[in-house]
Amino acid sequence: LLSTLLYILGFTLVIEGIGMISIWFSIHGTLGMTLEGELAFAAFHSISAFCNAGFSTLSGNLGNSMVMTNHNWLFISVSFLIILGGIGFPILVNFKDIVLYHLRHFWKFVRTRKLERHKVSHLYNLNTKIVLLTTLILLTGGTIAILLFEWNGAFAGMSMPDKWVQAFFNATCPRTAGFTSIGLTSFSLQSLLLMLLLMFIGGAAQSTAGGVKVNAFAAAV
């Protein structure tokens, strides 16, 4: 129990810390805040995104006019924090094991100049494979579908990069995160039905997300 709690605490602090730096980099000098205000904004939104909470200090959430233009990196950072919070801590632990495994082999190669002949063939456990594959399908399919549905709809007047980023962001957020950048009344019926499906599925088991879980959905399919 103690080791599990330490893993959760460690992953949470590291990911939210990196997310805070990334968000601060994306908004630095653009919102008319002091340095302390920018850091507080970045920390709050990093925690909110990783925990799939979806709360924002801006009026109108992330659809506020101050961040809707020239802030694509903010939306990308928030999206990846949501994804990392929603894939589950067992997958993060598996990632840690995989990285350490490769680092050990690399260090051994540096010292001995010999390649390891016998390698572990199952670095990714079954749970990790199921969650990553299902998440990739849902995010890719959701992004492309929303982009097509809203190209001349909710995304009309945006540049092509903005449309792609907003499609990705709005395919990520319905999976229990709760952030919004565009009013839901602006979306087409097809997009709203897709978002309902994404909200129903949610994130992975043992994560900060809700829903029936991608593990259960994948097993049912």
Side-chain angles (χ1 to χ4, degrees):
L1 179 61
L2 179 60
S3 63
T4 301
L5 290 173
L6 290 175
Y7 272 130
I8 292 173
L9 179 63
F11 281 122
T12 301
L13 292 176
V14 169
I15 294 172
E16 289 180 352
I18 294 172
M20 173 185 170
I21 295 171
S22 181
I23 291 173
W24 176 81
F25 177 79
S26 69
I27 58 105
H28 178 55
T30 64
L31 302 183
M33 297 180 180
T34 62
L35 178 60
E36 292 79 4
E38 289 178 344
L39 291 173
F41 176 92
F44 183 90
H45 286 80
S46 179
I47 295 169
S48 183
F50 182 74
C51 293
N52 278 230
F55 295 110
S56 175
T57 57
L58 297 173
S59 60
N61 209 278
L62 294 184
N64 191 289
S65 58
M66 291 194 298
V67 296
M68 274 302 290
T69 56
N70 302 317
H71 285 89
N72 281 342
W73 188 250
L74 168 65
F75 291 102
I76 292 172
S77 299
V78 170
S79 296
F80 276 102
L81 283 166
I82 293 168
I83 294 167
L84 288 172
I87 61 175
F89 289 103
I91 282 81
L92 296 177
V93 172
N94 192 200
F95 283 167
K96 181 267 300 178
D97 293 336
I98 293 167
V99 170
L100 290 179
Y101 173 82
H102 286 298
L103 286 176
R104 282 195 296 266
H105 277 265
F106 177 73
W107 178 243
K108 188 174 182 180
F109 171 75
V110 170
R111 290 191 315 167
T112 64
R113 298 296 178 180
K114 293 181 180 179
L115 291 172
E116 183 71 31
R117 293 184 178 181
H118 304 288
K119 293 184 177 181
V120 178
S121 57
H122 299 290
L123 288 173
Y124 295 87
N125 61 44
L126 181 60
N127 183 52
T128 300
K129 291 178 181 178
I130 290 173
V131 171
L132 291 183
L133 180 60
T134 309
T135 299
L136 179 63
I137 292 172
L138 291 173
L139 286 174
T140 304
T143 299
I144 294 173
I146 291 175
L147 183 69
L148 293 175
F149 292 148
E150 304 302 334
W151 187 270
N152 293 315
F155 300 158
M158 295 183 183
S159 65
M160 185 177 293
D162 288 348
K163 289 182 178 181
W164 275 101
V165 170
Q166 288 300 319
F168 177 61
F169 180 76
N170 283 281
T172 304
C173 286
R175 304 180 60 213
T176 78
F179 285 108
T180 57
S181 61
I182 296 172
L184 293 178
T185 54
S186 301
F187 286 105
S188 64
L189 178 61
Q190 294 91 331
S191 295
L192 293 175
L193 289 173
L194 176 61
M195 289 179 182
L196 285 174
L197 175 64
L198 294 173
M199 286 192 288
F200 172 75
I201 298 170
Q206 294 175 284
S207 74
T208 61
V212 298
K213 309 302 183 186
V214 295
N215 319 61
F217 174 75
V221 171

